[in-house]
Amino acid sequence: MSSHSPLDTRRLWRLFPLFVLSLNGALLLDARQDWVACGTHSLSNQEAIALHRTATAQRKPSTIRTRAAGIDSVARDIGNIAILEDSDGVVARRNTFNLNARTLRFLPQAPSAAYIYETAANSYDAAQAAAGAVLSALDDDDSRLAPLPFAFSFYGQTYNSVYINSDGNLTFVRPDASTSDRSLGRLNAGPPRIAGLFRDLDPSASSAAVRVLSTSNVFVVSWVNVPEFGTSKIQTFQIRLFPDGRIETAFSTITTAEAVVGIAPGSLQGASAIVHFTQASANTFNGTLAERFSGTEAIDVVFTAQKFYETHEDAYDYLVLYNNLGIPADDGAVAYELTLRNLRDGYGDQQIEAGSIYGSRRRLQGFMNMGPLSQYPRDPLGIVPSRSTSRDTPLSVIGHEAGHLFLAFTSVRDPNDPTSLPMLGRQSAHWNFRFNSEASLLEGNRIRDNGPSASLRFTTTGTVEGYAPLDQYLMGFRDPSEVPNTFYVTSASIGSNDRPPQSGVSFNGIRRDVSVNDIVALYGPRRPNASMAQRRFRFGFILI
């Protein structure tokens, strides 16, 4: 292998058996679906397990009893095909919003930067909302900076101002008006945030809009009759901040089926927790504390894997799931990966051991939900319509999700902003558009440096071609000496860093060189190294 050539996805594949889980019926989805993104983020596995537990609690007792007795539709293998009926609960309504007409409180616990939570009766104050000043010209996907009437402590940091974002949330340090998916991963990896109702909301379509009341005793931001983008579904709620650090979100009228609610210190700090806010807890939390609500029917990936292992050996490193029912992998996502086992070091991800929850006693490392077959062309090298900008194919999407077992979690620090991760983009789990990732499957671009004298110094020239040399080092396939230097562009004259890869885009900025030694200095050496790391991975494909 040349030390400069990317590892092409076509070289990764061997033919493995195709396992088919047969389900009856069809599903109708009531939501705007932007199937353009990968849904993988830092809390993907915690989210899947939390939603699985909700679905389990909602399953029919008769299904649970027959499953426990070992007599439920035992999967029948016909050649390499396993048959499973949908009555087993593989498709389930996951976690319906249940905070309507209630108040959620986050109470700081001195002296540590931690919180407990509680719920109470409805305390939405219409008088406070009416007395608030309308936040003029707050548009869809927009932000405004507002001064706070008192110093406010949030996760141990003190702030004198806050950004009010149109999508039902407040952020500190920087605004967030991105159009990317409003997910747990964005909450966890983004700026410090209070997510009252993190959803694609459009204040410009409301006559009442967003109102701000600022007094010496309380700071109140009210979203009054604000609809979801492109719908008539209105949401009314308010976030209240108090001088002692208390946070309250009072929900008056919530009609959305999908939302993220919670608080986060940002930048992946602290130990994250996915909870059910209506269930009391005696614990304190110093990291992201949130709940993901989902009212649409979706595939319970944990239960699907459990059912698979009832009749199949624990002989796969990945399970890869497709469906022909038109069920999206997740809201706004083409596909996503769940890392279930990781005992490796040196590439930025946390160690985890969750495979047993999915029914695998020792081997399964990743679960890939690839969504509906209908979103992919028949030709494995054809362009996926919703990913036409980045020129993704069915094979490159598989390669992208498989790569998430190792990528993309590492970044040098910007000398002008030590808290930033300039090599990372969307949800801090993909390469940044402005990072020369050598056209990695994990996004970023191949970027040509046209020279300091060029009118536009940088041009993107390639996307999603394979695993780049740095990728291969982080995956355990290359020695550090085989990885050439690369660079990222800071102070760029181009917009959001979470945009999809795209060739032919030119922009200006400042070049910052990156070497693999910079990565090793921050994250330690890759263990096991290239001489010892696993090289062959077995994939089991499931079609529902």
Side-chain angles (χ1 to χ4, degrees):
M1 171 187 308
S2 166
S3 64
H4 292 274
S5 62
L7 182 61
D8 194 299
T9 50
R10 289 171 295 185
R11 297 174 56 191
L12 296 177
W13 298 105
R14 304 291 184 269
L15 293 179
F16 295 124
L18 177 68
F19 300 94
V20 180
L21 310 186
S22 177
L23 302 182
N24 298 320
L27 297 174
L28 296 176
L29 301 177
D30 180 22
R32 183 178 68 146
Q33 298 295 337
D34 298 325
W35 294 343
V36 297
C38 164
T40 303
H41 56 74
S42 55
L43 298 181
S44 291
N45 183 52
Q46 290 188 48
E47 179 180 17
I49 292 172
L51 293 173
H52 161 68
R53 288 171 176 163
T54 301
T56 299
Q58 295 173 349
R59 276 191 194 100
K60 296 178 180 179
S62 58
T63 301
I64 297 173
R65 284 196 300 271
T66 54
R67 187 182 191 292
I71 59 175
D72 63 313
S73 302
V74 174
R76 295 177 293 111
D77 281 10
I78 302 175
N80 288 330
I81 300 175
I83 306 298
L84 181 70
E85 299 299 329
D86 64 346
S87 58
D88 291 319
V90 173
V91 177
R93 188 172 297 277
R94 301 196 291 180
N95 189 28
T96 304
F97 190 86
N98 59 4
L99 295 175
N100 218 355
R102 305 197 68 162
T103 300
L104 174 62
R105 296 191 180 111
F106 298 101
L107 309 176
Q109 301 300 290
S112 64
Y115 289 85
I116 61 173
Y117 67 85
E118 64 182 23
T119 57
N122 185 15
S123 66
Y124 179 83
D125 193 328
Q128 285 183 333
V134 174
L135 203 59
S136 60
L138 184 68
D139 207 344
D140 178 45
D141 301 320
D142 201 2
S143 294
R144 291 288 184 276
L145 181 64
L148 291 169
F150 41 76
F152 183 75
S153 178
F154 186 61
Y155 284 102
Q157 299 296 316
T158 300
Y159 301 99
N160 296 303
S161 61
V162 65
Y163 287 94
I164 301 170
N165 305 307
S166 57
D167 288 340
N169 69 100
L170 310 179
T171 54
F172 301 95
V173 182
R174 65 181 184 270
D176 186 0
S178 172
T179 59
S180 64
D181 42 336
R182 288 78 178 167
S183 65
L184 284 167
R186 186 169 155 193
L187 175 69
N188 195 36
R193 188 188 315 259
I194 299 168
L197 191 78
F198 198 20
R199 184 63 173 159
D200 189 3
L201 306 181
D202 185 5
S204 69
S206 170
S207 59
V210 179
R211 295 172 172 268
V212 180
L213 176 66
S214 182
T215 75
S216 60
N217 298 318
V218 67
F219 179 82
V220 185
V221 183
S222 303
W223 281 257
V224 183
N225 296 333
V226 176
E228 286 187 74
F229 179 86
T231 77
S232 59
K233 298 178 178 178
I234 61 171
Q235 324 300 325
T236 299
F237 62 97
Q238 61 191 184
I239 300 174
R240 299 190 287 253
L241 308 183
F242 297 90
D244 61 1
R246 283 180 296 138
I247 303 164
E248 294 182 351
T249 301
F251 301 95
S252 176
T253 304
I254 305 299
T255 60
T256 184
E258 309 283 333
V260 171
V261 174
I263 57 176
S267 301
L268 308 177
Q269 298 179 74
S272 303
I274 310 302
V275 301
H276 292 292
F277 285 124
T278 58
Q279 299 176 7
S281 172
N283 296 328
T284 59
F285 303 90
N286 66 358
T288 295
L289 174 58
E291 182 169 4
R292 157 77 188 283
F293 294 100
S294 175
T296 57
E297 290 196 318
I299 295 168
D300 183 342
V301 295
V302 180
F303 191 57
T304 298
Q306 292 172 351
K307 295 299 296 180
F308 174 83
Y309 283 117
E310 286 180 2
T311 52
H312 296 88
E313 294 182 359
D314 188 8
Y316 301 91
D317 300 287
Y318 292 88
L319 293 183
V320 186
L321 173 68
Y322 292 87
N323 75 82
N324 66 359
L325 300 178
I327 304 174
D330 204 352
D331 186 35
V334 169
Y336 64 81
E337 184 268 349
L338 305 172
T339 295
L340 310 181
R341 281 193 173 94
N342 164 30
L343 299 179
R344 299 169 285 260
D345 290 307
Y347 59 96
D349 201 10
Q350 297 178 349
Q351 293 194 350
I352 186 173
E353 172 53 79
S356 59
I357 298 174
Y358 290 74
S360 165
R361 293 186 177 182
R362 62 179 182 86
R363 182 163 180 176
L364 184 65
Q365 300 179 58
F367 190 106
M368 297 158 53
N369 185 348
M370 304 299 295
L373 280 172
S374 59
Q375 68 183 333
Y376 299 102
R378 186 178 295 271
D379 179 0
L381 297 180
I383 300 301
V384 178
S386 61
R387 298 286 289 172
S388 59
T389 300
S390 57
R391 310 300 290 172
D392 267 303
T393 68
L395 272 182
S396 73
V397 175
I398 291 177
H400 177 118
E401 300 305 335
H404 270 306
L405 189 62
F406 312 96
L407 310 166
F409 311 114
T410 61
S411 176
V412 296
R413 303 301 188 265
D414 190 317
N416 297 323
D417 183 4
T419 65
S420 72
L421 301 171
M423 292 167 59
L424 299 182
R426 212 163 30 82
Q427 308 202 83
S428 293
H430 301 83
W431 297 127
N432 194 313
F433 183 92
R434 296 168 288 202
F435 171 55
N436 178 35
S437 70
E438 297 289 352
S440 168
L441 291 173
L442 275 292
E443 303 189 5
N445 293 280
R446 175 174 290 109
I447 302 177
R448 182 180 67 232
D449 186 343
N450 300 315
S453 61
S455 60
L456 291 173
R457 179 169 178 176
F458 302 100
T459 301
T460 62
T461 62
T463 66
V464 296
E465 295 177 3
Y467 296 126
L470 177 61
D471 294 340
Q472 293 175 47
Y473 162 73
L474 296 169
M475 298 169 83
F477 299 159
R478 283 183 186 245
D479 186 80
S481 62
E482 300 177 292
V483 181
N485 291 350
T486 184
F487 64 90
Y488 68 91
V489 181
T490 188
S491 302
S493 61
I494 195 169
S496 173
N497 63 10
D498 59 9
R499 60 182 291 173
Q502 183 178 5
S503 289
V505 178
S506 296
F507 55 97
N508 279 317
I510 301 171
R511 174 174 172 150
R512 304 282 191 194
D513 289 337
V514 176
S515 75
V516 69
N517 292 329
D518 296 329
I519 300 298
V520 174
L522 285 170
Y523 296 93
R526 210 287 187 186
R527 289 193 294 259
N529 62 26
S531 65
M532 300 291 291
Q534 181 178 355
R535 293 296 186 101
R536 297 177 64 85
F537 295 80
R538 197 170 189 226
F539 292 68
F541 288 82
I542 302 170
L543 174 64
I544 295 184

